[in-house]
Structure formats: C-alpha cells, structure tokens
Amino acid sequence: MAEVQGKTLRDVKIGESATVRRLTGEGALKRHIMDMGITKGVEVFVRKVAPLGDPIEVTVRGYELSLRKSEAESILVN
C-alpha cells in the first residue's frame, strides 16, 4: 500500500493549483512522472476530473496532461 504523507495531487480540487513538493513513486512510475515534466517545485493546475475520477486532466508547464489516479496519488503537493 502507498504511504500517505500529506496532501497529494489527487486531493486538489478542480480549478485549483498546487506546487509539487515530492514524488513518492518508485522506479518506472517516478521516471514516467518526471518525463511528463512533473518535478519538485513545479506548479500544477487541475483542469478537469472524469466522472468516475479517473483520469485527472492537469496543466503543467503550459501544456495539458492526463494522469491516472494512481499517478496523482504519488505526487505530494503543498
């Protein structure tokens, strides 16, 4: 099970922004998230969430990106 260490990107409401504090994923998951431009200190804006909550559409570094719930849960934010 994933350890909860505070607010994750999954907890951010639609229309709100948050700053990435830390990535908790390991190995390939962490690399995948970093390859999408989500790194420590980056601001992420939550644009939309699908009706069942998966995926989540965010804006990162000026482009739109869809994340799975599992990916969003491994991104700790302020």
Side-chain angles (χ1 to χ4, degrees):
M1 296 287 167
E3 51 195 61
V4 178
Q5 300 174 332
K7 186 176 178 182
T8 67
L9 186 57
R10 178 122 159 58
D11 302 321
V12 179
K13 305 222 181 311
I14 298 170
E16 293 183 356
S17 292
T19 303
V20 176
R21 192 178 49 153
R22 186 168 159 241
L23 301 177
T24 61
E26 291 295 321
L29 173 63
K30 187 172 186 176
R31 178 169 220 67
H32 176 65
I33 292 169
M34 291 177 75
D35 286 346
M36 291 188 285
I38 301 172
T39 56
K40 184 177 178 179
V42 170
E43 186 171 304
V44 179
F45 176 75
V46 178
R47 292 184 34 109
K48 296 185 223 173
V49 176
L52 298 177
D54 200 12
I56 299 167
E57 187 174 311
V58 298
T59 301
V60 181
R61 300 180 188 251
Y63 62 92
E64 294 169 11
L65 183 64
S66 291
L67 296 171
R68 295 182 189 109
K69 275 195 263 189
S70 59
E71 294 170 336
E73 288 169 350
S74 68
I75 302 169
L76 295 176
V77 297
N78 289 335

